[in-house]
Each structure stands twice: as C-alpha cells, then as structure tokens.
Coordinates of all heavy atoms in Angstrom, one line a residue:
A1 N 183.3 -47.2 -32.7 CA 182.8 -48.2 -33.7 C 182.6 -47.5 -35.1 O 182.4 -48.2 -36.1 CB 181.5 -48.9 -33.3
Q2 N 182.7 -46.2 -35.1 CA 182.5 -45.5 -36.4 C 183.5 -45.9 -37.5 O 183.2 -45.9 -38.7 CB 182.6 -44.0 -36.2 CG 181.5 -43.3 -35.4 CD 181.8 -41.8 -35.3 OE1 181.3 -41.0 -36.1 NE2 182.5 -41.4 -34.3
N3 N 184.7 -46.3 -37.0 CA 185.8 -46.6 -37.9 C 185.4 -47.8 -38.8 O 186.0 -48.0 -39.9 CB 187.1 -46.8 -37.2 CG 187.4 -45.6 -36.3 OD1 187.6 -44.6 -36.9 ND2 187.6 -45.8 -35.0
T4 N 184.6 -48.7 -38.3 CA 184.2 -49.9 -39.0 C 182.8 -49.9 -39.5 O 182.5 -50.6 -40.5 CB 184.5 -51.2 -38.2 OG1 183.7 -51.0 -37.0 CG2 186.0 -51.3 -37.9
E5 N 181.9 -49.2 -38.9 CA 180.5 -49.2 -39.3 C 179.9 -47.8 -38.9 O 179.3 -47.6 -37.9 CB 179.7 -50.3 -38.5 CG 178.3 -50.5 -38.9 CD 178.1 -50.8 -40.4 OE1 178.5 -51.9 -40.8 OE2 177.6 -49.9 -41.2
M6 N 180.2 -46.9 -39.8 CA 179.8 -45.5 -39.5 C 178.3 -45.2 -39.5 O 177.8 -44.6 -38.5 CB 180.5 -44.5 -40.5 CG 180.1 -43.1 -40.3 SD 181.0 -41.9 -41.3 CE 182.6 -42.0 -40.5
G7 N 177.6 -45.7 -40.4 CA 176.2 -45.4 -40.5 C 175.4 -45.8 -39.3 O 174.8 -44.9 -38.6
L8 N 175.4 -47.0 -38.9 CA 174.7 -47.5 -37.7 C 175.2 -46.9 -36.4 O 174.5 -46.6 -35.5 CB 174.7 -49.0 -37.6 CG 174.0 -49.7 -38.8 CD1 174.2 -51.2 -38.6 CD2 172.6 -49.4 -38.8
S9 N 176.5 -46.7 -36.4 CA 177.1 -46.1 -35.2 C 176.6 -44.6 -35.0 O 176.3 -44.2 -33.8 CB 178.7 -46.1 -35.2 OG 179.2 -47.4 -35.3
L10 N 176.5 -43.9 -36.1 CA 176.0 -42.5 -36.0 C 174.5 -42.5 -35.5 O 174.1 -41.6 -34.8 CB 176.2 -41.8 -37.3 CG 177.6 -41.5 -37.7 CD1 177.6 -40.9 -39.1 CD2 178.2 -40.4 -36.7
V11 N 173.8 -43.5 -36.0 CA 172.4 -43.5 -35.5 C 172.3 -43.7 -34.0 O 171.6 -43.0 -33.3 CB 171.6 -44.6 -36.2 CG1 170.2 -44.8 -35.7 CG2 171.6 -44.4 -37.7
A12 N 173.1 -44.6 -33.5 CA 173.2 -44.9 -32.0 C 173.6 -43.6 -31.3 O 173.1 -43.2 -30.3 CB 174.1 -46.0 -31.7
L13 N 174.6 -42.9 -31.9 CA 175.1 -41.7 -31.2 C 174.0 -40.6 -31.2 O 174.0 -39.8 -30.3 CB 176.3 -41.2 -32.0 CG 177.6 -42.1 -31.8 CD1 178.7 -41.6 -32.7 CD2 178.1 -42.0 -30.4
Q14 N 173.2 -40.6 -32.2 CA 172.1 -39.6 -32.3 C 171.1 -39.9 -31.2 O 170.5 -38.9 -30.6 CB 171.5 -39.5 -33.6 CG 170.4 -38.4 -33.7 CD 170.9 -37.1 -33.2 OE1 172.1 -36.7 -33.4 NE2 170.0 -36.3 -32.6
F15 N 170.7 -41.1 -31.0 CA 169.8 -41.5 -29.9 C 170.4 -40.9 -28.6 O 169.6 -40.4 -27.8 CB 169.6 -43.0 -29.8 CG 168.5 -43.5 -30.7 CD1 168.8 -44.3 -31.8 CD2 167.2 -43.2 -30.4 CE1 167.8 -44.7 -32.6 CE2 166.2 -43.7 -31.2 CZ 166.5 -44.5 -32.3
I16 N 171.6 -41.2 -28.4 CA 172.2 -40.8 -27.1 C 172.3 -39.3 -27.0 O 172.1 -38.7 -25.9 CB 173.6 -41.4 -26.9 CG1 173.5 -42.9 -26.9 CG2 174.3 -40.9 -25.7 CD1 174.8 -43.7 -26.9
R17 N 172.6 -38.6 -28.1 CA 172.6 -37.2 -28.1 C 171.2 -36.6 -27.8 O 171.1 -35.6 -27.1 CB 173.1 -36.6 -29.5 CG 172.9 -35.1 -29.6 CD 173.3 -34.6 -30.9 NE 172.7 -33.3 -31.1 CZ 173.0 -32.5 -32.1 NH1 173.9 -32.9 -33.0 NH2 172.4 -31.3 -32.3
A18 N 170.2 -37.2 -28.3 CA 168.8 -36.8 -27.9 C 168.6 -36.9 -26.4 O 167.9 -36.0 -25.9 CB 167.8 -37.6 -28.7
L19 N 169.1 -37.9 -25.8 CA 169.0 -38.0 -24.3 C 169.7 -36.9 -23.6 O 169.2 -36.3 -22.6 CB 169.5 -39.4 -23.9 CG 168.7 -40.6 -24.4 CD1 169.5 -41.9 -24.0 CD2 167.4 -40.6 -23.8
Y20 N 170.9 -36.5 -24.2 CA 171.6 -35.4 -23.5 C 171.0 -34.1 -23.8 O 171.2 -33.1 -23.0 CB 173.1 -35.4 -24.0 CG 174.0 -36.3 -23.2 CD1 174.2 -37.7 -23.6 CD2 174.6 -35.9 -22.1 CE1 175.0 -38.5 -22.8 CE2 175.5 -36.7 -21.4 CZ 175.6 -38.0 -21.7 OH 176.5 -38.8 -21.0
D21 N 170.3 -34.0 -24.9 CA 169.5 -32.7 -25.2 C 168.5 -32.5 -24.1 O 168.3 -31.3 -23.6 CB 168.8 -32.8 -26.5 CG 169.8 -32.6 -27.7 OD1 170.9 -32.0 -27.4 OD2 169.5 -33.0 -28.8
V22 N 167.9 -33.5 -23.6 CA 166.9 -33.4 -22.5 C 167.6 -33.0 -21.2 O 167.1 -32.2 -20.5 CB 166.1 -34.8 -22.3 CG1 165.2 -34.6 -21.1 CG2 165.4 -35.2 -23.6
E23 N 168.8 -33.6 -21.0 CA 169.6 -33.2 -19.8 C 170.0 -31.8 -19.8 O 170.0 -31.1 -18.8 CB 170.8 -34.1 -19.7 CG 170.4 -35.6 -19.5 CD 169.5 -35.8 -18.3 OE1 169.9 -35.4 -17.1 OE2 168.4 -36.3 -18.5
D24 N 170.3 -31.2 -21.0 CA 170.6 -29.8 -21.1 C 169.4 -28.9 -20.7 O 169.6 -27.9 -20.0 CB 171.0 -29.5 -22.6 CG 172.3 -30.1 -22.9 OD1 173.1 -30.4 -22.0 OD2 172.6 -30.2 -24.2
E25 N 168.2 -29.3 -21.0 CA 167.1 -28.6 -20.6 C 166.8 -28.7 -19.1 O 166.3 -27.8 -18.5 CB 165.8 -29.1 -21.4 CG 165.8 -28.8 -22.9 CD 164.6 -29.3 -23.5 OE1 163.6 -29.5 -22.8 OE2 164.6 -29.6 -24.7
A26 N 167.2 -29.9 -18.5 CA 166.9 -30.2 -17.1 C 167.9 -29.6 -16.2 O 167.7 -29.7 -15.0 CB 166.8 -31.7 -16.9
T27 N 169.0 -29.0 -16.7 CA 170.1 -28.5 -15.8 C 169.6 -27.6 -14.7 O 170.0 -27.7 -13.5 CB 171.2 -27.9 -16.6 OG1 171.7 -28.8 -17.6 CG2 172.3 -27.4 -15.8
S28 N 168.8 -26.6 -15.0 CA 168.4 -25.6 -14.1 C 167.1 -25.9 -13.3 O 166.6 -25.1 -12.6 CB 168.2 -24.3 -14.8 OG 167.2 -24.4 -15.8
L29 N 166.6 -27.1 -13.5 CA 165.3 -27.5 -12.9 C 165.5 -28.1 -11.5 O 166.6 -28.6 -11.2 CB 164.5 -28.5 -13.8 CG 164.2 -28.0 -15.2 CD1 163.5 -29.1 -16.0 CD2 163.4 -26.7 -15.2
S30 N 164.5 -28.2 -10.8 CA 164.5 -28.9 -9.5 C 164.5 -30.4 -9.7 O 164.3 -30.9 -10.9 CB 163.3 -28.5 -8.6 OG 162.1 -29.0 -9.2

C-alpha cells in the first residue's frame, strides 16, 4: 500500500516492526 499512501503505510509497518523486534529478543528464550 506504500505506492498509494506511503505515510500511513509506513506507520503501520513500524508498528509491525516493533513487534518483530520483540521476537528477535525472544529467539533464544524458553
């Protein structure tokens, strides 16, 4: 959706990236 509405799409992508940042920390955990 960036091709038609970049600003809001990037905000949504950053929320999702923040979720994946947590997953990166959790990789080696039980």
Side-chain angles (χ1 to χ4, degrees):
Q2 291 179 92
N3 301 304
T4 55
E5 186 60 67
M6 177 173 286
L8 296 176
S9 298
L10 288 174
V11 175
L13 289 171
Q14 180 52 34
F15 272 110
I16 298 175
R17 173 181 157 174
L19 294 172
Y20 273 90
D21 283 339
V22 179
E23 295 305 301
D24 289 342
E25 294 181 20
T27 301
S28 59
L29 302 180
S30 66

